[in-house]
Amino acid sequence: MTVTSADRTAPDGSPAAGPPDAAGPGTAAAAPAGGPRRRAARAAVLGAVFVCAACGLVYELALVALGSYLIGDTVGQASIVLGVMVFAMGIGALVAKPFQHRAAAAFAVVELALALFGGLSVLGLYAAFAWLDLYAPALVATALLLGLLIGAEIPLLMVLLQRIRAQSAGSAVADLFAADYVGALLGGLAFPFLLMPFFGQLRGVLVVGVVNALAGLALVGTVFRRELTARVRLALTAGTVVVGLVLGYAYLTAADFEVTARQQLFRDPVVHAERSRYQEIVLTRSVPLVSQGVTDLRLYLNGDLQFSSVDEYRYHEALVHPVLHGTRGSVLVLGGGDGLAVRELLRYPDVDSVTVVELDPAVVRLARTEPQLRALNGNAFADPRVRLVNTDAFGWLRDRPGRFDAVVVDLPDPDETATAKLYSVEFYSLLRAVVADRGRVVVQAGSPYFAPRSYWCVDASLRSAGFTTVPYHVDVPSFGDWGFLLAAPGPAAPELGLPADVPALRYLDAGTLRAATNFPPDRHRLDLPPSTLLHPRVLEYARAEWRRY
């Protein structure tokens, strides 16, 4: 129960000595004597609130970020983490009530537990995802445990604050929550701008765990040291050593753990892996097959396959060459940071310029520097006709950057919140404004076999933005049946064909392209509403359909 000023004030207005706590040392004896010491002690408590709030928010953001990388459902992951943690914080506040008579010791135990479980949370969840395939239940359990511990902090800190100087409940809550909310701001800014860039996600959370433990133990070990018995001090010291050793060992072995866990997720050996500002980038390379002598190079973004070097030519020939059956002096590529679509474009001498808008510079850097990938894309980004823009395609189109004869939209599938907006009516309306009067657009639209509702929703969105479309699909063994949409602004449907001067292709010819427009009865056109920014239907369809495979 919160102690009020009426309970602890003498008739002359000075703090009363009051009786000792029923179950421990007296509060008056534990409170620092003298004005300056009392003010310093209050500042220490509020400082601990500040640091603990920052650490707690980092744990929350780390769980959301990890789920976004591994699962791709940013909104869903944020909803689960925040919902479960806020619920658990309420339970934790109630659970802490019986321990208020030993607030100092209880707070130290809570901070050690929070440092241990919070610091190891990302590592444990990554292990659950890589080895056990139990990510969802592990996430809920982790969020529940951390929420309980975070919720227990505030009631205990409130008791400690009142032991230094009793004040009204409203004033105490105001002081405590002010420090808490400002600390949350620090944690919110530190996670993306300090911890992730300098330490990475695994080690960054481990560092926060250490800070969390130090803040709690420093407060209890100085201001409230007299409230701890010798046995409690010994137990806390032993606990601190154990937690420090565990977190230190995890920090030193984090890189090896990440390599081992990542390799568990992929069939072939990982030859390059990095976590950029936007996504996890993994490149794998198989051991050459003795019978065929073929090495399979594969690129994954957030776990989704982007291409296999064994059959990527099928995908990129079908994507690029039909859209060039017309004027093609200036070409725009949205996405395509691996350079493979650009490689096909540069095979035409009359393509004067290629503008590539790719969000993640790390993907382009890999395409430029990794020897086998650079050989696969023909060192496309070194061609003087290529202009690279590293920015978000949606925002770039809003600036009306000019007009293009042909546009290749080679973006990741709309199975994440961040990419769903790039398949919306609003996005295609912006795109229509930069297409020349006789220009053409091609969009990779996913699989009409595995995800038919997603595919035809993209078609509906293009048509709602003022395009007339021609759907077609081809077989890409690594992906399965894969679909594209050739589109042109206005009411006239674009002609699906190959340029008269088409270079020699390995897969696509006129007959194959004609057959590509035929959809079997079990995969006929679906009449679906379009996807918009406020109602991203394509995201709903993609998640539901791909979840089955």
Side-chain angles (χ1 to χ4, degrees):
M1 183 177 67
T2 302
V3 182
T4 65
S5 57
D7 298 325
R8 296 291 308 281
T9 305
D12 63 354
S14 61
D21 279 352
T27 54
R37 291 184 61 188
R38 193 183 297 272
R39 286 192 293 270
R42 282 179 53 81
V45 173
L46 295 177
V49 175
F50 177 87
V51 174
C52 291
C55 294
L57 192 63
V58 167
Y59 299 143
E60 293 182 29
L61 294 176
L63 298 189
V64 173
L66 183 66
S68 301
Y69 282 131
L70 300 182
I71 307 300
D73 181 7
T74 305
V75 173
Q77 295 299 305
S79 300
I80 292 172
V81 171
L82 297 180
V84 171
M85 289 191 77
V86 170
F87 163 77
M89 286 167 64
I91 303 301
L94 293 175
V95 171
K97 289 176 67 175
F99 301 99
Q100 291 181 15
H101 65 287
R102 295 287 187 184
F107 177 70
V109 171
V110 166
E111 294 312 295
L112 281 177
L114 195 52
L116 180 63
F117 295 115
L120 297 176
S121 59
V122 172
L123 187 147
L125 286 173
Y126 199 10
F129 180 81
W131 280 287
L132 304 177
D133 196 21
L134 293 173
Y135 183 80
L139 175 66
V140 172
T142 302
L144 188 64
L145 176 59
L146 296 184
L148 286 169
L149 294 171
I150 293 172
E153 289 178 321
I154 292 296
L156 297 175
L157 285 166
M158 178 71 77
V159 172
L160 296 178
L161 189 68
Q162 291 282 47
R163 287 184 180 177
I164 295 171
R165 190 193 70 193
Q167 58 185 134
S168 67
S171 297
V173 168
D175 291 343
L176 210 66
F177 279 19
D180 184 78
Y181 294 152
V182 176
L185 172 65
L186 174 66
L189 295 176
F191 180 72
F193 300 117
L194 176 64
L195 295 170
M196 288 286 284
F198 289 97
F199 296 101
Q201 196 165 3
L202 272 180
R203 284 179 168 166
V205 178
L206 289 167
V207 168
V208 170
V210 173
V211 172
N212 203 160
L214 291 177
L217 293 171
L219 175 67
V220 173
T222 55
V223 179
F224 298 98
R225 180 179 177 81
R226 287 193 300 165
E227 292 196 24
L228 307 178
T229 64
R231 181 178 298 178
V232 170
R233 286 198 293 269
L234 180 61
L236 290 178
T237 301
T240 302
V241 171
V242 171
V243 171
L245 289 175
V246 171
L247 295 181
Y249 178 78
Y251 185 92
L252 294 176
T253 59
D256 293 337
F257 168 84
E258 187 171 6
V259 170
T260 304
R262 184 187 292 119
Q263 185 59 70
Q264 183 70 21
L265 301 174
F266 298 98
R267 180 190 67 184
D268 300 321
V270 174
V271 295
H272 177 87
E274 65 176 298
R275 185 161 289 161
S276 73
R277 178 181 174 186
Y278 305 101
Q279 58 201 341
E280 185 178 52
I281 305 167
V282 174
L283 198 65
T284 68
R285 183 166 53 228
S286 69
V287 178
L289 301 176
V290 176
S291 59
Q292 302 176 16
V294 176
T295 298
D296 186 6
L297 187 73
R298 296 187 172 214
L299 175 67
Y300 296 84
L301 299 180
N302 284 347
D304 292 336
L305 177 65
Q306 303 303 303
F307 71 79
S308 164
S309 62
V310 172
D311 56 21
E312 59 78 19
Y313 65 90
R314 287 186 167 222
Y315 172 94
H316 290 100
E317 288 179 4
L319 173 72
V320 170
H321 295 280
V323 79
L324 299 183
H325 182 42
T327 54
R328 59 196 185 210
S330 60
V331 181
L332 171 65
V333 180
L334 301 178
D338 53 31
L340 300 177
V342 179
R343 175 199 66 198
E344 296 298 317
L345 292 169
L346 296 176
R347 298 178 70 182
Y348 293 86
D350 57 343
V351 170
D352 298 322
S353 66
V354 178
T355 301
V356 181
V357 181
E358 165 62 49
L359 175 64
D360 196 344
V363 175
V364 178
R365 184 170 60 250
L366 182 64
R368 282 174 161 166
T369 58
E370 205 285 328
Q372 191 171 349
L373 180 52
R374 189 176 66 234
L376 192 63
N377 65 36
N379 201 17
F381 289 112
D383 193 292
R385 291 177 287 172
V386 177
R387 171 178 172 250
L388 178 65
V389 181
N390 287 128
T391 190
D392 173 61
F394 197 105
W396 187 79
L397 288 175
R398 293 184 69 176
D399 294 334
R400 304 294 175 92
R403 310 262 285 181
F404 298 89
D405 298 318
V407 180
V408 177
V409 184
D410 188 20
L411 295 165
D413 296 334
D415 56 0
E416 298 184 18
T417 307
T419 53
K421 71 176 183 180
L422 305 178
Y423 290 82
S424 64
V425 174
E426 292 87 346
F427 178 76
Y428 294 135
S429 297
L430 293 174
L431 182 62
R432 190 176 188 273
V434 304
V435 179
D437 294 335
R438 300 178 61 186
R440 295 147 65 91
V441 175
V442 66
V443 177
Q444 87 81 12
S447 173
Y449 180 82
F450 296 106
R453 292 168 69 84
S454 305
Y455 179 80
W456 294 112
C457 181
V458 176
D459 178 69
S461 301
L462 274 165
R463 288 187 283 109
S464 294
F467 288 97
T468 301
T469 63
V470 176
Y472 64 104
H473 62 123
V474 299
D475 179 54
V476 182
S478 296
F479 293 159
D481 185 48
W482 209 257
F484 306 88
L485 294 163
L486 184 66
E495 179 187 357
L496 183 64
L498 293 174
D501 58 344
V502 64
L505 303 179
R506 299 171 61 186
Y507 166 68
L508 198 63
D509 58 18
T512 303
L513 194 56
R514 281 195 301 271
T517 61
N518 182 47
F519 287 80
D522 65 344
R523 287 298 180 265
H524 58 81
R525 177 189 289 273
L526 300 176
D527 186 16
L528 296 171
S531 185
T532 66
L533 290 179
L534 294 181
H535 195 163
R537 294 180 177 90
V538 69
L539 177 64
E540 300 168 8
Y541 296 149
R543 286 177 178 167
E545 291 174 321
W546 285 111
R547 190 178 293 123
R548 298 194 296 251
Y549 300 99

mmCIF file of all heavy atoms in Angstrom, residues 484-512:
data_model
loop_
_atom_site.group_PDB
_atom_site.id
_atom_site.type_symbol
_atom_site.label_atom_id
_atom_site.label_comp_id
_atom_site.label_asym_id
_atom_site.label_seq_id
_atom_site.Cartn_x
_atom_site.Cartn_y
_atom_site.Cartn_z
ATOM 1 N N PHE A 484 3.239 -13.279 -63.970
ATOM 2 C CA PHE A 484 3.596 -11.895 -64.257
ATOM 3 C C PHE A 484 2.380 -11.193 -64.833
ATOM 4 O O PHE A 484 1.425 -11.834 -65.287
ATOM 5 C CB PHE A 484 4.756 -11.831 -65.259
ATOM 6 C CG PHE A 484 5.966 -12.621 -64.847
ATOM 7 C CD1 PHE A 484 6.091 -13.962 -65.187
ATOM 8 C CD2 PHE A 484 6.975 -12.029 -64.102
ATOM 9 C CE1 PHE A 484 7.198 -14.701 -64.801
ATOM 10 C CE2 PHE A 484 8.084 -12.758 -63.716
ATOM 11 C CZ PHE A 484 8.191 -14.095 -64.059
ATOM 12 N N LEU A 485 2.422 -9.879 -64.834
ATOM 13 C CA LEU A 485 1.357 -9.076 -65.424
ATOM 14 C C LEU A 485 1.994 -8.022 -66.312
ATOM 15 O O LEU A 485 2.770 -7.176 -65.831
ATOM 16 C CB LEU A 485 0.517 -8.410 -64.333
ATOM 17 C CG LEU A 485 -0.292 -9.368 -63.447
ATOM 18 C CD1 LEU A 485 -0.749 -8.671 -62.176
ATOM 19 C CD2 LEU A 485 -1.490 -9.925 -64.209
ATOM 20 N N LEU A 486 1.706 -8.097 -67.602
ATOM 21 C CA LEU A 486 2.130 -7.060 -68.533
ATOM 22 C C LEU A 486 1.012 -6.036 -68.594
ATOM 23 O O LEU A 486 -0.168 -6.410 -68.749
ATOM 24 C CB LEU A 486 2.393 -7.650 -69.914
ATOM 25 C CG LEU A 486 2.935 -6.684 -70.976
ATOM 26 C CD1 LEU A 486 4.330 -6.203 -70.609
ATOM 27 C CD2 LEU A 486 2.924 -7.347 -72.348
ATOM 28 N N ALA A 487 1.337 -4.766 -68.478
ATOM 29 C CA ALA A 487 0.305 -3.737 -68.373
ATOM 30 C C ALA A 487 0.693 -2.513 -69.190
ATOM 31 O O ALA A 487 1.874 -2.228 -69.407
ATOM 32 C CB ALA A 487 0.097 -3.346 -66.912
ATOM 33 N N ALA A 488 -0.355 -1.798 -69.613
ATOM 34 C CA ALA A 488 -0.165 -0.536 -70.325
ATOM 35 C C ALA A 488 -1.237 0.435 -69.859
ATOM 36 O O ALA A 488 -2.374 0.021 -69.579
ATOM 37 C CB ALA A 488 -0.248 -0.743 -71.830
ATOM 38 N N PRO A 489 -0.919 1.725 -69.745
ATOM 39 C CA PRO A 489 -1.941 2.695 -69.335
ATOM 40 C C PRO A 489 -2.985 2.878 -70.432
ATOM 41 O O PRO A 489 -2.670 2.850 -71.618
ATOM 42 C CB PRO A 489 -1.133 3.980 -69.107
ATOM 43 C CG PRO A 489 0.095 3.816 -69.927
ATOM 44 C CD PRO A 489 0.392 2.350 -69.958
ATOM 45 N N GLY A 490 -4.237 3.022 -70.016
ATOM 46 C CA GLY A 490 -5.304 3.224 -70.980
ATOM 47 C C GLY A 490 -6.106 1.968 -71.236
ATOM 48 O O GLY A 490 -5.861 0.918 -70.643
ATOM 49 N N PRO A 491 -7.046 2.044 -72.169
ATOM 50 C CA PRO A 491 -7.968 0.920 -72.392
ATOM 51 C C PRO A 491 -7.430 -0.177 -73.299
ATOM 52 O O PRO A 491 -7.998 -1.267 -73.355
ATOM 53 C CB PRO A 491 -9.167 1.603 -73.050
ATOM 54 C CG PRO A 491 -8.578 2.782 -73.761
ATOM 55 C CD PRO A 491 -7.430 3.254 -72.929
ATOM 56 N N ALA A 492 -6.372 0.081 -74.048
ATOM 57 C CA ALA A 492 -5.862 -0.901 -75.007
ATOM 58 C C ALA A 492 -4.905 -1.866 -74.321
ATOM 59 O O ALA A 492 -3.961 -1.447 -73.637
ATOM 60 C CB ALA A 492 -5.159 -0.200 -76.165
ATOM 61 N N ALA A 493 -5.156 -3.158 -74.534
ATOM 62 C CA ALA A 493 -4.286 -4.168 -73.933
ATOM 63 C C ALA A 493 -2.953 -4.220 -74.654
ATOM 64 O O ALA A 493 -2.902 -4.139 -75.893
ATOM 65 C CB ALA A 493 -4.958 -5.539 -73.991
ATOM 66 N N PRO A 494 -1.841 -4.329 -73.928
ATOM 67 C CA PRO A 494 -0.536 -4.432 -74.590
ATOM 68 C C PRO A 494 -0.387 -5.777 -75.292
ATOM 69 O O PRO A 494 -0.951 -6.784 -74.857
ATOM 70 C CB PRO A 494 0.455 -4.294 -73.436
ATOM 71 C CG PRO A 494 -0.293 -4.794 -72.242
ATOM 72 C CD PRO A 494 -1.725 -4.420 -72.455
ATOM 73 N N GLU A 495 0.352 -5.777 -76.372
ATOM 74 C CA GLU A 495 0.606 -7.022 -77.095
ATOM 75 C C GLU A 495 1.696 -7.806 -76.379
ATOM 76 O O GLU A 495 2.774 -7.277 -76.112
ATOM 77 C CB GLU A 495 1.039 -6.733 -78.526
ATOM 78 C CG GLU A 495 1.357 -7.988 -79.334
ATOM 79 C CD GLU A 495 1.940 -7.676 -80.700
ATOM 80 O OE1 GLU A 495 2.040 -6.490 -81.036
ATOM 81 O OE2 GLU A 495 2.308 -8.633 -81.412
ATOM 82 N N LEU A 496 1.406 -9.059 -76.083
ATOM 83 C CA LEU A 496 2.395 -9.912 -75.435
ATOM 84 C C LEU A 496 3.218 -10.612 -76.505
ATOM 85 O O LEU A 496 2.707 -11.468 -77.242
ATOM 86 C CB LEU A 496 1.709 -10.947 -74.538
ATOM 87 C CG LEU A 496 2.648 -11.856 -73.742
ATOM 88 C CD1 LEU A 496 3.472 -11.059 -72.747
ATOM 89 C CD2 LEU A 496 1.850 -12.945 -73.016
ATOM 90 N N GLY A 497 4.460 -10.231 -76.609
ATOM 91 C CA GLY A 497 5.336 -10.823 -77.605
ATOM 92 C C GLY A 497 6.777 -10.514 -77.294
ATOM 93 O O GLY A 497 7.090 -9.831 -76.308
ATOM 94 N N LEU A 498 7.669 -10.998 -78.132
ATOM 95 C CA LEU A 498 9.094 -10.750 -77.975
ATOM 96 C C LEU A 498 9.552 -9.735 -79.010
ATOM 97 O O LEU A 498 9.006 -9.687 -80.126
ATOM 98 C CB LEU A 498 9.884 -12.050 -78.136
ATOM 99 C CG LEU A 498 9.661 -13.104 -77.045
ATOM 100 C CD1 LEU A 498 10.381 -14.400 -77.412
ATOM 101 C CD2 LEU A 498 10.138 -12.594 -75.695
ATOM 102 N N PRO A 499 10.533 -8.914 -78.690
ATOM 103 C CA PRO A 499 11.052 -7.958 -79.671
ATOM 104 C C PRO A 499 11.601 -8.673 -80.905
ATOM 105 O O PRO A 499 12.078 -9.812 -80.824
ATOM 106 C CB PRO A 499 12.168 -7.230 -78.900
ATOM 107 C CG PRO A 499 11.857 -7.457 -77.454
ATOM 108 C CD PRO A 499 11.203 -8.792 -77.388
ATOM 109 N N ALA A 500 11.532 -7.979 -82.032
ATOM 110 C CA ALA A 500 12.050 -8.571 -83.271
ATOM 111 C C ALA A 500 13.547 -8.837 -83.176
ATOM 112 O O ALA A 500 14.056 -9.782 -83.795
ATOM 113 C CB ALA A 500 11.746 -7.642 -84.449
ATOM 114 N N ASP A 501 14.238 -8.002 -82.427
ATOM 115 C CA ASP A 501 15.695 -8.155 -82.304
ATOM 116 C C ASP A 501 16.079 -8.821 -80.980
ATOM 117 O O ASP A 501 17.158 -8.556 -80.440
ATOM 118 C CB ASP A 501 16.381 -6.802 -82.420
ATOM 119 C CG ASP A 501 15.891 -5.802 -81.372
ATOM 120 O OD1 ASP A 501 14.825 -6.047 -80.770
ATOM 121 O OD2 ASP A 501 16.568 -4.779 -81.152
ATOM 122 N N VAL A 502 15.201 -9.673 -80.456
ATOM 123 C CA VAL A 502 15.474 -10.312 -79.177
ATOM 124 C C VAL A 502 16.772 -11.116 -79.262
ATOM 125 O O VAL A 502 17.009 -11.823 -80.256
ATOM 126 C CB VAL A 502 14.299 -11.214 -78.762
ATOM 127 C CG1 VAL A 502 14.086 -12.361 -79.722
ATOM 128 C CG2 VAL A 502 14.491 -11.746 -77.342
ATOM 129 N N PRO A 503 17.642 -11.003 -78.277
ATOM 130 C CA PRO A 503 18.883 -11.803 -78.296
ATOM 131 C C PRO A 503 18.566 -13.275 -78.045
ATOM 132 O O PRO A 503 17.434 -13.642 -77.701
ATOM 133 C CB PRO A 503 19.708 -11.198 -77.161
ATOM 134 C CG PRO A 503 18.702 -10.582 -76.239
ATOM 135 C CD PRO A 503 17.584 -10.102 -77.106
ATOM 136 N N ALA A 504 19.537 -14.108 -78.231
ATOM 137 C CA ALA A 504 19.350 -15.543 -78.010
ATOM 138 C C ALA A 504 18.996 -15.792 -76.546
ATOM 139 O O ALA A 504 19.709 -15.343 -75.643
ATOM 140 C CB ALA A 504 20.618 -16.300 -78.396
ATOM 141 N N LEU A 505 17.881 -16.509 -76.331
ATOM 142 C CA LEU A 505 17.417 -16.810 -74.986
ATOM 143 C C LEU A 505 17.511 -18.305 -74.730
ATOM 144 O O LEU A 505 17.407 -19.116 -75.656
ATOM 145 C CB LEU A 505 15.973 -16.334 -74.797
ATOM 146 C CG LEU A 505 15.706 -14.846 -75.058
ATOM 147 C CD1 LEU A 505 14.234 -14.526 -74.849
ATOM 148 C CD2 LEU A 505 16.575 -13.970 -74.164
ATOM 149 N N ARG A 506 17.655 -18.668 -73.481
ATOM 150 C CA ARG A 506 17.793 -20.076 -73.114
ATOM 151 C C ARG A 506 16.445 -20.760 -72.919
ATOM 152 O O ARG A 506 16.331 -21.969 -73.094
ATOM 153 C CB ARG A 506 18.616 -20.198 -71.827
ATOM 154 C CG ARG A 506 20.025 -19.654 -71.951
ATOM 155 C CD ARG A 506 20.722 -19.594 -70.592
ATOM 156 N NE ARG A 506 20.849 -20.908 -69.963
ATOM 157 C CZ ARG A 506 21.320 -21.108 -68.735
ATOM 158 N NH1 ARG A 506 21.675 -20.056 -67.997
ATOM 159 N NH2 ARG A 506 21.417 -22.328 -68.243
ATOM 160 N N TYR A 507 15.431 -20.001 -72.565
ATOM 161 C CA TYR A 507 14.144 -20.606 -72.212
ATOM 162 C C TYR A 507 12.990 -20.060 -73.044
ATOM 163 O O TYR A 507 12.201 -20.821 -73.604
ATOM 164 C CB TYR A 507 13.869 -20.371 -70.725
ATOM 165 C CG TYR A 507 12.454 -20.656 -70.306
ATOM 166 C CD1 TYR A 507 11.958 -21.965 -70.306
ATOM 167 C CD2 TYR A 507 11.591 -19.637 -69.907
ATOM 168 C CE1 TYR A 507 10.648 -22.244 -69.927
ATOM 169 C CE2 TYR A 507 10.283 -19.898 -69.519
ATOM 170 C CZ TYR A 507 9.818 -21.209 -69.529
ATOM 171 O OH TYR A 507 8.526 -21.474 -69.147
ATOM 172 N N LEU A 508 12.848 -18.763 -73.097
ATOM 173 C CA LEU A 508 11.648 -18.154 -73.658
ATOM 174 C C LEU A 508 11.729 -18.051 -75.173
ATOM 175 O O LEU A 508 12.738 -17.596 -75.723
ATOM 176 C CB LEU A 508 11.457 -16.758 -73.049
ATOM 177 C CG LEU A 508 10.068 -16.136 -73.180
ATOM 178 C CD1 LEU A 508 9.036 -16.971 -72.441
ATOM 179 C CD2 LEU A 508 10.081 -14.711 -72.652
ATOM 180 N N ASP A 509 10.658 -18.459 -75.836
ATOM 181 C CA ASP A 509 10.498 -18.217 -77.270
ATOM 182 C C ASP A 509 9.039 -17.852 -77.518
ATOM 183 O O ASP A 509 8.216 -17.814 -76.591
ATOM 184 C CB ASP A 509 10.936 -19.428 -78.096
ATOM 185 C CG ASP A 509 10.172 -20.693 -77.758
ATOM 186 O OD1 ASP A 509 9.077 -20.610 -77.142
ATOM 187 O OD2 ASP A 509 10.654 -21.787 -78.108
ATOM 188 N N ALA A 510 8.705 -17.583 -78.786
ATOM 189 C CA ALA A 510 7.362 -17.099 -79.110
ATOM 190 C C ALA A 510 6.297 -18.116 -78.727
ATOM 191 O O ALA A 510 5.239 -17.750 -78.178
ATOM 192 C CB ALA A 510 7.282 -16.768 -80.598
ATOM 193 N N GLY A 511 6.537 -19.390 -78.984
ATOM 194 C CA GLY A 511 5.553 -20.408 -78.650
ATOM 195 C C GLY A 511 5.340 -20.542 -77.155
ATOM 196 O O GLY A 511 4.201 -20.668 -76.679
ATOM 197 N N THR A 512 6.416 -20.519 -76.403
ATOM 198 C CA THR A 512 6.310 -20.610 -74.942
ATOM 199 C C THR A 512 5.545 -19.417 -74.389
ATOM 200 O O THR A 512 4.724 -19.558 -73.471
ATOM 201 C CB THR A 512 7.710 -20.682 -74.317
ATOM 202 O OG1 THR A 512 8.421 -21.788 -74.871
ATOM 203 C CG2 THR A 512 7.636 -20.830 -72.810
#
